[in-house]
């Protein structure tokens, strides 16, 4: 038997003895050990780079366990601008305020801040922090929102009332003579 044959035989015997079925090292074992390695308690024995890497790993684990970050800052800025321009737009921006309120109740709570939280919303807050900060303004702003909604509903009804009365008169011209008594009866029903 030649030297080459003896070396090949010895090499195959070593592989067979230390193979994965025998519990020997396998490919990628080092990487698995590094990923699954527990962070030591004492960080003083490591250099600055190693300490920074361990701190980042720890922060990532805490972020995964902690609450999600709020993504509502851009939408809060839009909501604030629409509230500022409510009077100058003659109430047209109120539709966005209603849309934002509806989405904060039914939609994605990370993207849409509840009413009252948009004034102090900054990037990087968690959803819980944002809601805690805005909880002081929430009752006041919700009260204003409900009042404005009722006012808009009354304004819409009052703006449609002349059109309905005009249709009532056009349907039968004799109703024009009965219109004052009809309005008086309607007013008495509203008051009583």
């Amino acid at each position: 038997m030649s030297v080459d044959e003896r070396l090949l035989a010895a090499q195959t015997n070593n592989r067979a003895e230390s193979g994965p079925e025998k519990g020997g090292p396998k490919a990628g074992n080092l990487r698995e050990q590094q990923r699954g390695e527990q962070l030591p308690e004492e960080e003083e024995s490591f250099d600055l780079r190693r300490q920074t890497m361990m701190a980042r790993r720890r922060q990532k684990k805490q972020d995964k366990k902690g609450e999600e970050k709020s993504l509502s800052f851009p939408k809060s800025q839009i909501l604030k601008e629409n509230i500022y321009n409510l009077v100058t737009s003659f109430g047209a921006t109120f539709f966005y305020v209603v849309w934002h309120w509806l989405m904060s109740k039914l939609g994605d709570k990370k993207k849409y801040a509840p009413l009252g939280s948009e004034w102090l919303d900054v990037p990087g807050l968690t959803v819980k922090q944002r809601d805690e900060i805005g909880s002081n303004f929430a009752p006041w702003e919700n009260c204003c929102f409900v009042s404005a909604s009722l006012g808009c509903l009354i304004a819409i009804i009052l703006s449609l009332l002349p059109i309905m009365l005009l249709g009532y008169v056009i349907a039968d011209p004799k109703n024009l003579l009965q219109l004052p008594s009809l309005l008086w009866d309607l007013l008495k029903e509203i008051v009583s």
Side-chain angles (χ1 to χ4, degrees):
M1 187 184 253
S2 72
V3 175
D4 290 334
E5 290 174 351
R6 279 190 266 159
L7 285 174
L8 283 174
Q11 192 175 19
T12 55
N13 286 339
N14 286 341
R15 281 190 187 162
E17 290 174 4
S18 66
E21 62 276 351
K22 301 285 186 178
K26 355 181 223 188
N29 206 13
L30 176 64
R31 184 60 69 186
E32 289 176 14
Q33 287 176 353
Q34 287 176 346
R35 284 186 188 150
E37 146 184 294
Q38 295 294 328
L39 295 176
E41 296 298 323
E42 296 182 23
E43 294 183 1
E44 290 84 21
S45 62
F46 298 110
D47 62 340
L48 181 62
R49 182 175 182 276
R50 178 76 174 165
Q51 288 176 6
T52 307
M53 288 173 55
M54 289 189 324
R56 285 183 186 164
R57 283 186 198 153
R58 195 175 304 117
Q59 183 66 33
K60 282 183 183 180
K61 286 181 182 178
Q62 287 176 353
D63 286 345
K64 287 180 183 177
K65 291 178 186 175
E67 292 192 22
E68 297 177 340
K69 297 287 184 184
S70 168
L71 303 174
S72 64
F73 180 70
K75 303 283 186 186
S76 295
Q77 296 302 313
I78 294 171
L79 180 62
K80 285 188 337 189
E81 289 298 320
N82 282 320
I83 290 173
Y84 288 144
N85 296 326
L86 196 58
V87 174
T88 58
S89 68
F90 298 106
T93 59
F94 187 69
F95 292 112
Y96 180 79
V97 176
V98 171
W99 171 256
H100 188 95
W101 174 80
L102 187 64
M103 293 308 292
S104 71
K105 298 296 182 193
L106 303 175
D108 189 8
K109 296 195 183 288
K110 282 174 36 179
K111 289 185 181 177
Y112 293 95
L115 292 181
S117 296
E118 76 273 4
W119 300 106
L120 300 172
D121 194 8
V122 293
L125 290 176
T126 62
V127 174
K128 185 177 178 182
Q129 290 172 335
R130 180 197 66 198
D131 292 344
E132 285 176 0
I133 290 171
S135 65
N136 294 332
F137 296 108
W140 300 104
E141 191 161 358
N142 285 324
C143 180
C144 292
F145 174 72
V146 169
S147 300
S149 298
L150 290 176
C152 287
L153 182 65
I154 290 171
I156 289 171
I157 290 172
L158 289 177
S159 66
L160 293 177
L161 187 63
I163 296 171
M164 291 188 301
L165 290 176
L166 186 62
Y168 183 69
V169 170
I170 290 175
D172 189 12
K174 293 179 185 177
N175 292 337
L176 183 62
L177 298 173
Q178 297 173 354
L179 191 60
S181 64
L182 179 68
L183 290 175
W184 181 251
D185 291 339
L186 183 65
L187 183 63
K188 284 194 308 187
E189 286 296 323
I190 290 174
V191 172
S192 61

